[in-house]
Amino acid sequence: MGCCASGPISVDLGKVPPEFQVLSDGSDPKTITEVEDILTAAFVGNTKVGGEGVMAWVHDLDGNVDGDYAKPLKEEPSQERIYYCRYIVKWCMAQALKHGTCFALNDPESSGKIVAVACCLPPNNTNLADPGVCEMMSWKYKGKDGKGIDAMPPEFKKKKKDPTQHLRQKAVDYAFKKGKFTWAQAFPYWYVMGMGVHPDRQGKGHGRHLMEFLTNVADRNDTYMYLETHGAKNRKFFEHHNFRVMESKYLKAKDCVPLEKHGGLLVMTRLYQKEMDEIIEIYKDPKTAPKTIETNNW
């Protein structure tokens, strides 16, 4: 874990399309609050649309239809679920806003309202994805409630109602850290910490438009991309944008139903376009094409 606080990292975004907003700590507070609300709603989900599956597994083992954490909720979300997901969103936003890598998509058909959000960490060699105390103290964003990351949800601690929640959260934290160590230590990478479309605006191409913007930025800077996700629908979406599953992690915690459906936690990476083109050329030429393919997910 890092110790010293990092400075903001500059990234070449190119010409940003007018429908996108690039947000930082200095952006309009009302806009930032709107972004927090939208990403929270996307992570929470509702009785019609599934939320973020890994968070659903941590928060409530019996809260989703058919015990499938990629499916909608059985009931409208509780305040506890909303509070938990909002805390995770604040964590992502505090890091992304510092580096100016929080992106919002406006929809002209919705009077220019924000409909999709992505919180990313820019390519770096300073282990920003595993912040230390000094780094966290440098975060300016405190969230809609103004409490920052100090107001820790019960899921991070032992709780009488469900004493195993904190164990599931620890399993997720460990899997995230191990995944980055295994697949993202050798090169700088864009880390997509959190991405979501408002539940009422899903299925209209907003997620695709947002991801195309992110992949264009990565290609422009010749950098890899890395993310974690869950569920067959999400896997298909990211594979459409040239991400590949590098590892499927079954998440387990004592006395808990494991997260193993749909492959559990999916660790996915994406090559940048220049490198993909070079690989294609190698395979086209019989003289350079490998006679055997090494065992990997590419």
Side-chain angles (χ1 to χ4, degrees):
M1 180 176 287
C3 178
C4 296
S6 67
I9 294 175
S10 178
V11 177
D12 180 9
L13 300 177
K15 185 177 180 180
V16 179
E19 65 271 25
F20 285 95
Q21 295 187 63
V22 181
L23 305 176
S24 66
D25 283 325
S27 297
D28 177 29
K30 290 184 179 179
T31 301
I32 293 178
T33 296
E34 184 180 358
V35 165
E36 181 184 316
D37 287 341
I38 289 170
L39 196 53
T40 299
F43 281 4
V44 170
N46 54 37
T47 55
K48 297 179 180 179
V49 179
E52 206 292 313
V54 177
M55 293 185 196
W57 177 71
V58 171
H59 179 75
D60 185 357
L61 290 174
D62 193 38
N64 294 73
V65 173
D66 299 330
D68 186 339
Y69 303 107
K71 288 188 177 182
L73 303 179
K74 291 180 179 179
E75 301 175 351
E76 289 303 322
S78 64
Q79 288 302 311
E80 289 81 3
R81 183 185 292 270
I82 295 172
Y83 179 66
Y84 168 62
C85 290
R86 187 176 294 278
Y87 179 86
I88 302 297
V89 168
K90 287 195 297 183
W91 179 278
C92 294
M93 288 184 63
Q95 297 177 80
L97 288 169
K98 175 178 177 177
H99 298 287
T101 47
C102 181
F103 307 104
L105 172 61
N106 298 327
D107 179 19
E109 296 182 3
S110 301
S111 301
K113 291 183 179 180
I114 297 173
V115 292
V117 177
C119 289
C120 305
L121 281 180
N124 67 92
N125 290 311
T126 56
N127 206 20
L128 289 180
D130 185 24
V133 175
C134 296
E135 176 69 20
M136 289 186 281
M137 289 177 64
S138 74
W139 297 346
K140 296 180 180 179
Y141 185 62
K142 300 300 180 183
K144 184 177 180 179
D145 58 10
K147 297 179 181 179
I149 60 170
D150 295 328
M152 188 177 293
E155 283 81 355
F156 289 81
K157 302 176 290 186
K158 291 184 179 181
K159 184 181 177 185
K160 292 182 179 179
K161 183 179 179 181
D162 183 353
T164 61
Q165 279 180 323
H166 74 290
L167 297 177
R168 296 196 294 277
Q169 185 62 54
K170 285 184 177 181
V172 171
D173 293 343
Y174 177 77
F176 274 32
K177 188 171 184 178
K178 187 70 180 296
K180 295 183 191 74
F181 180 81
T182 303
W183 300 107
Q185 284 290 89
F187 43 78
Y189 60 94
W190 271 96
Y191 179 32
V192 184
M193 293 185 291
M195 174 180 170
V197 178
H198 192 284
D200 296 340
R201 302 297 297 169
Q202 293 184 15
K204 301 180 182 297
H206 300 308
R208 173 187 54 77
H209 193 24
L210 178 56
M211 181 50 67
E212 286 176 351
F213 170 75
L214 297 179
T215 55
N216 286 339
V217 171
D219 291 342
R220 182 182 183 86
N221 290 270
D222 289 343
T223 48
Y224 297 86
M225 299 182 75
Y226 178 95
L227 57 82
E228 304 99 352
T229 191
H230 170 74
K233 182 179 179 181
N234 287 343
R235 174 175 180 165
K236 183 178 179 181
F237 172 82
F238 289 117
E239 286 182 337
H240 177 74
H241 294 278
N242 292 319
F243 281 83
R244 294 292 181 269
V245 174
M246 306 308 293
E247 187 175 5
S248 297
K249 291 178 173 288
Y250 294 162
L251 301 185
K252 300 178 181 180
K254 186 178 180 180
D255 299 328
C256 296
V257 175
L259 181 67
E260 55 186 6
K261 191 173 289 187
H262 309 301
L265 176 71
L266 303 177
V267 175
M268 305 188 75
T269 65
R270 177 186 182 274
L271 298 175
Y272 50 91
Q273 189 62 49
K274 182 179 178 181
E275 183 150 346
M276 284 191 281
D277 291 341
E278 290 175 352
I279 291 174
I280 290 172
E281 289 302 316
I282 290 173
Y283 275 82
K284 279 183 178 178
D285 188 345
K287 295 180 180 179
T288 57
K291 295 180 180 179
T292 59
I293 299 176
E294 296 294 332
T295 303
N296 56 50
N297 292 64
W298 287 102

